[in-house]
Amino acid sequence: MASTALSAAVDVRFSGHSSETKRPIFFTSPLIRIPKKRFTAYCSSTSKSPPKSAPDLAQSDQKNPSLSEQLRPLTKTTLSDTPKDQANLLSKPKSTWVNPAKPKRSVISLQRQKRSSHSYNPQVRDLRRFAQKLNNSYISEAGFVSALEEIPHPLTRDNALLLLNSLKPWQKTHMFFNWIKTQKLFPMETIFYNVAMKSLRFGRQFQLIEDLANEMISNEIELDNITYSTIITCAKRCKLFDKAVEWFERMYKTGKMPDEVTYSAILDVYANLGKVEEVLSLYERGRASGWKPDPITFSVLGKMFGETGDYDGIRYVLQEMRSLEVQPNVVVYNTLLEATGKAGKPGLARSLFVEMLESGLKPNEKTLTALVKIYGKARWARDAMELWEQMRSNSWPMDFILYNTLLNMCADLGLEEEAEKLFEDMKQSEHCKPDSWSYTAMLNIYGSGGNADKAMELFDEMSVVGVQLNVMGCTCLIQCLGKARRISDMVRVFGISIERGVKPDDRLCGCLLSVVSLCENEDDEDRAVSCLEQANPRLVALVKLIQEEETSFETIKEEFRSVIGNTAIEARRPFCNCLIDICRNRNLHERAHELLYLGILFGLYPGLHNKTADEWCLDVRSLSVGAAHTALEEWMGTLCKIVQRKEALPEMFSAQTGTGTHKFSQGLGSSFAAHVRKLAAPFRQSEEKAGCFVATREDLVSWVESRLPSTVTA
DNA sequence: CTAGGGTTAG
């Protein structure tokens, strides 16, 4: 009955009727009919910047009720079959129903496609050996095909399937598949196509797979869920997402209902496309069809929310699993841990990990890698060290990536000795010898610790053991040597790196530019500039331009715009910071102010100045010392004007320098304090908040007035 | 890889 209704539906669709009201829901893929209202509400709650300090799982519902409010009616109603509830839930029920008295159409088959069980084949050993021989020889098609004549047993259907399953790589499977077709000994069933497609998928041969699918269609061989899921996942692996969607939609058009494997595969496709609303629509439609999603689906959802750092989304996944009583497995925990890391929620990561252990699951390398990364990034030294201890005492599995992640964690936390010990462990190990990632992490550690000698030792060691220096390692080393004012070493390292094939990127140029700003004499500066000249001549031209006093502001602006516009986003602010530092070090203060203005104009310092009714805050944490000074001067200048004009001012003023826990902001606080002292500005270190300087309106106004002794303030 | 879905590094 259903199939006739479906074929009628296909006819309607193909005959071009577009009347929405007449078409039953299953005429189109489920995406088209989903009321968007709920999902836009859901998404808009997450598209805003996440709450500053979102609470952890336990407290979350109380503090952020909007989401659970949205979700509660959802979980209660999705499984309801009564049209009244459905109608309340859907915003446009009329257009979605042929007959509102009937329950909603299903979008997913609740029965997973069954596999045919093959009986034991006594010839399996011979055939396997034969396949092995074919796999290991016969490069040419002619040789391969003639070898097929020596098949040890008759080519029955089952023997052919067994061989088809055992051949690799895909070229041989494909040749064999084509050959058995020419033999015409038995009809080519769906399973032959499915096995052939699977092999082709290993070779990412989407075009060949699609050709086979079209051949099935023209030969009227049924495409089943296994066929479709193979096509869809191959398209996905080849990044042909539109193809994946196209074949998925074809299922509904032809009246084939996807089962949960195909369904979760397409969810992953939409997730990869970043189409969060569509994924949620499909998910909800599946749920409304009575589907109980399995851990794989939740892993797909978890990864999707991780990609956008969507904390509410992660909580949604957890909540769904809890309410459906789906027990997460290791993979689900791993993806959720990754996701919480991307969402910047180390507390949730930690509690998830505890929950995982309590449920009796054993963490694997990926689990530990995710967690180590999170603790390092969050600078949670205590938790990181406890975890490390746990890893050793439980002898949890270690692999290469985990070693390198641990080294990076040490870099984040400044744990030089621990890193050295790990690095030694790696050298002693059988399978985890340090590679360029490991060396880079060590260079990062020595670099941020200012240990130029050890960094240089490592650099020399790399050439001895034959590990390639990469651009990141080169950047760390140059930064370190620059800070140590070891310009000769810096020039040598840069030259050798270029010789060895390091391609300078914008971050490396930023480091070279900062070395230029640090140079204390002209000779050093010339040598640093000539390195930069090789990597980025236009940047050097800009450096020269800003140092010419006669250059007009308009010229600077145009050149600045052009250089910054051609710079990777993450290197733009560092470029501007260094340019300002260069000006300040050469007493070109006015030019420094112009550059800060341009930096603000082009959006390099978002959030530099935060105003509320009660407080104005200057946040210089992402600025270099010179840029922070310039910003403070600029701020004071503006405040003076406002005081003079007697405009409204807030009660409190604050300047945030940070406490130097981040290696790039070290010393910002103390140099800021010195600068404030020099100006005799009324800012003092806040007692409650480290790295924050505060001043009251009264103090500030009287300070400004004292600096303007005889001006008429009319 | 015994016909199909999910997870690791600046």
Side-chain angles (χ1 to χ4, degrees):
Chain A
M1 206 173 100
S3 74
T4 48
L6 281 166
S7 39
V10 173
D11 291 340
V12 171
R13 191 187 170 89
F14 287 156
S15 66
H17 273 279
S18 61
S19 163
E20 290 262 305
T21 48
K22 283 180 188 164
R23 215 193 294 161
I25 182 154
F26 50 84
F27 279 12
T28 62
S29 84
L31 271 186
I32 299 165
R33 297 309 188 89
I34 309 304
K36 283 283 170 70
K37 205 173 163 189
R38 187 201 319 141
F39 298 109
T40 44
Y42 170 77
C43 289
S44 64
S45 81
T46 57
S47 60
K48 286 179 214 148
S49 59
K52 284 278 181 298
S53 58
D56 269 350
L57 203 57
Q59 327 147 348
S60 58
D61 284 352
Q62 290 173 332
K63 291 201 183 169
N64 193 355
S66 63
L67 180 77
S68 48
E69 266 172 26
Q70 287 173 53
L71 297 179
R72 204 176 303 120
L74 222 110
T75 42
K76 280 190 181 154
T77 49
T78 40
L79 285 173
S80 167
D81 279 328
T82 61
K84 195 165 159 264
D85 284 353
Q86 297 281 354
N88 288 340
L89 185 67
L90 301 169
S91 55
K92 288 171 26 190
K94 293 255 160 56
S95 66
T96 327
W97 305 84
V98 183
N99 178 358
K102 279 189 181 167
K104 205 171 169 185
R105 270 288 169 182
S106 184
V107 292
I108 180 171
S109 162
L110 301 183
Q111 190 73 42
R112 185 194 281 224
Q113 184 179 322
K114 289 198 176 65
R115 298 176 182 218
S116 55
S117 54
H118 53 270
S119 51
Y120 175 71
N121 186 339
Q123 297 156 346
V124 63
R125 282 183 71 95
D126 290 343
L127 290 164
R128 269 188 189 277
R129 206 175 297 121
F130 181 62
Q132 212 58 43
K133 197 181 119 206
L134 292 173
N135 287 343
N136 294 331
S137 46
Y138 307 110
I139 314 295
S140 77
E141 183 163 359
F144 181 78
V145 168
S146 69
L148 286 175
E149 308 292 345
E150 293 157 34
I151 187 165
H153 296 285
L155 192 70
T156 61
R157 172 197 180 274
D158 285 356
N159 287 347
L161 257 186
L162 204 143
L163 276 178
L164 199 61
N165 255 316
S166 316
L167 285 171
K168 60 182 179 190
W170 63 269
Q171 288 90 340
K172 284 177 186 161
T173 320
H174 195 230
M175 283 190 278
F176 182 65
F177 180 75
N178 285 332
W179 182 77
I180 47 182
K181 271 195 293 194
T182 63
Q183 303 299 300
K184 294 188 195 300
L185 294 168
F186 38 79
M188 293 300 276
E189 302 158 40
T190 304
I191 188 170
F192 284 90
Y193 282 90
N194 290 349
V195 175
M197 282 185 184
K198 185 188 173 185
S199 174
L200 290 170
R201 196 185 60 174
F202 279 113
R204 300 184 181 229
Q205 297 298 309
F206 181 75
Q207 194 49 60
L208 291 176
I209 285 185
E210 194 173 48
D211 292 345
L212 286 187
N214 286 322
E215 183 180 304
M216 292 172 83
I217 293 165
S218 31
N219 294 346
E220 295 184 328
I221 297 164
E222 188 204 354
L223 282 76
D224 62 13
N225 260 289
I226 296 175
T227 323
Y228 279 113
S229 58
T230 310
I231 297 170
I232 288 166
T233 53
C234 179
K236 188 175 77 189
R237 283 176 206 184
C238 298
K239 304 235 182 284
L240 299 167
F241 299 116
D242 51 334
K243 279 289 179 190
V245 172
E246 186 186 316
W247 281 94
F248 178 66
E249 291 190 333
R250 191 181 183 282
M251 296 186 75
Y252 291 100
K253 287 182 202 166
T254 57
K256 185 92 207 158
M257 202 54 101
D259 68 6
E260 66 171 332
V261 176
T262 318
Y263 210 71
S264 60
I266 203 69
L267 285 183
D268 196 36
V269 168
Y270 281 112
N272 274 293
L273 285 166
K275 298 192 169 187
V276 178
E277 288 195 26
E278 280 84 345
V279 172
L280 289 175
S281 305
L282 282 169
Y283 175 81
E284 290 299 334
R285 286 296 298 273
R287 292 280 297 110
S289 307
W291 170 49
K292 182 183 172 184
D294 65 0
I296 293 182
T297 308
F298 290 116
S299 166
V300 168
L301 294 183
K303 181 166 187 204
M304 173 182 77
F305 289 125
E307 289 303 318
T308 50
D310 187 335
Y311 180 52
D312 285 344
I314 295 163
R315 282 168 41 208
Y316 175 66
V317 173
L318 287 166
Q319 196 178 318
E320 284 288 286
M321 280 193 292
R322 219 172 301 159
S323 68
L324 294 169
E325 296 180 331
V326 173
Q327 178 59 44
N329 61 20
V330 178
V331 178
V332 172
Y333 274 114
N334 290 352
T335 49
L336 286 174
L337 284 171
E338 275 281 310
T340 52
K342 284 174 184 157
K345 301 292 172 203
L348 178 55
R350 187 175 55 190
S351 53
L352 274 177
F353 184 61
V354 170
E355 185 188 302
M356 175 180 176
L357 296 180
E358 281 170 355
S359 79
L361 289 170
K362 187 185 165 203
N364 65 18
E365 296 88 334
K366 291 174 189 180
T367 321
L368 299 166
T369 298
L371 207 56
V372 165
K373 202 170 127 191
I374 289 166
Y375 289 162
K377 288 276 161 289
R379 284 162 216 287
W380 281 17
R382 206 188 58 212
D383 293 276
M385 298 315 291
E386 267 175 31
L387 176 63
W388 194 346
E389 195 43 53
Q390 251 181 317
M391 287 167 58
R392 288 175 183 276
S393 61
N394 293 311
S395 354
W396 281 335
M398 289 281 278
D399 70 359
F400 204 65
I401 294 177
L402 182 50
Y403 262 117
N404 283 341
T405 308
L406 279 166
L407 284 178
N408 282 326
M409 178 201 79
C410 290
D412 284 329
L413 298 173
L415 302 171
E416 196 171 303
E417 278 178 39
E418 287 82 353
E420 283 173 341
K421 193 173 174 315
L422 262 174
F423 197 59
E424 273 311 307
D425 282 356
M426 290 185 82
K427 286 179 179 170
Q428 305 298 320
S429 78
E430 190 78 23
H431 303 292
C432 297
K433 299 278 179 206
D435 69 345
S436 64
W437 286 67
S438 327
Y439 274 94
T440 300
M442 291 306 291
L443 287 170
N444 190 11
I445 289 162
Y446 291 141
S448 48
N451 202 333
D453 289 330
K454 283 192 173 171
M456 282 307 283
E457 269 176 42
L458 271 190
F459 175 70
D460 294 330
E461 186 181 306
M462 288 178 80
S463 14
V464 176
V465 297
V467 172
Q468 194 78 40
L469 180 72
N470 61 27
V471 64
M472 185 95 170
C474 177
T475 305
C476 293
L477 199 47
I478 282 178
Q479 187 178 37
C480 173
L481 295 169
K483 279 185 186 163
R485 309 293 196 277
R486 286 167 59 163
I487 306 302
S488 300
D489 283 334
M490 192 280 287
V491 171
R492 185 169 74 89
V493 165
F494 180 77
I496 294 172
S497 303
I498 299 296
E499 268 175 40
R500 294 193 192 155
V502 169
K503 296 267 169 285
D505 61 7
D506 289 341
R507 285 187 200 213
L508 177 51
C509 290
C511 272
L512 286 169
L513 190 60
S514 84
V515 176
V516 172
S517 80
L518 291 168
C519 286
E520 286 153 344
N521 62 61
E522 239 179 80
D523 180 45
D524 282 353
E525 185 179 328
D526 288 346
R527 291 191 293 160
V529 165
S530 70
C531 291
L532 187 56
E533 179 80 39
Q534 293 174 54
N536 192 336
R538 288 207 61 189
L539 184 55
V540 171
L542 178 59
V543 170
K544 292 192 170 142
L545 204 60
I546 60 171
Q547 295 186 70
E548 307 281 342
E549 284 197 51
E550 57 271 25
T551 311
S552 75
F553 175 68
E554 278 308 311
T555 308
I556 303 265
K557 184 179 174 183
E558 281 320 302
E559 267 309 295
F560 184 89
R561 181 209 301 276
S562 157
V563 169
I564 291 296
N566 286 310
T567 301
I569 289 167
E570 74 271 11
R572 288 178 182 177
R573 191 169 56 215
F575 275 25
C576 190
N577 280 339
C578 291
L579 291 171
I580 293 171
D581 285 349
I582 289 170
C583 290
R584 289 201 74 101
N585 293 347
R586 285 149 191 80
N587 280 319
L588 299 162
H589 284 214
E590 211 174 309
R591 187 56 40 86
H593 280 271
E594 289 176 354
L595 288 166
L596 178 68
Y597 171 77
L598 289 174
I600 294 167
L601 185 69
F602 294 126
L604 307 186
Y605 300 105
L608 176 61
H609 196 199
N610 302 301
K611 286 184 182 179
T612 66
D614 305 327
E615 185 177 348
W616 288 1
C617 176
L618 186 73
D619 182 350
V620 297
R621 283 175 298 180
S622 67
L623 276 64
S624 59
V625 169
H629 286 177
T630 310
L632 182 69
E633 286 171 2
E634 194 69 43
W635 201 41
M636 291 305 179
T638 310
L639 293 178
C640 286
K641 280 181 202 150
I642 294 173
V643 170
Q644 275 176 282
R645 291 194 216 117
K646 303 208 184 299
E647 288 169 19
L649 285 171
E651 201 64 48
M652 285 296 294
F653 295 83
S654 65
Q656 282 205 277
T657 59
T659 50
T661 39
H662 196 281
K663 59 179 180 262
F664 300 116
S665 63
Q666 254 160 21
L668 198 55
S670 55
S671 82
F672 195 86
H675 194 68
V676 164
R677 261 198 307 281
K678 204 176 109 198
L679 295 173
F683 281 95
R684 56 192 165 68
Q685 169 69 54
S686 159
E687 278 157 26
E688 305 102 67
K689 213 171 152 192
C692 188
F693 295 80
V694 291
T696 62
R697 177 170 57 201
E698 283 75 42
D699 290 348
L700 204 69
V701 168
S702 61
W703 175 72
V704 169
E705 282 168 350
S706 75
R707 281 163 49 103
L708 307 159
S710 57
T711 17
V712 186
T713 53

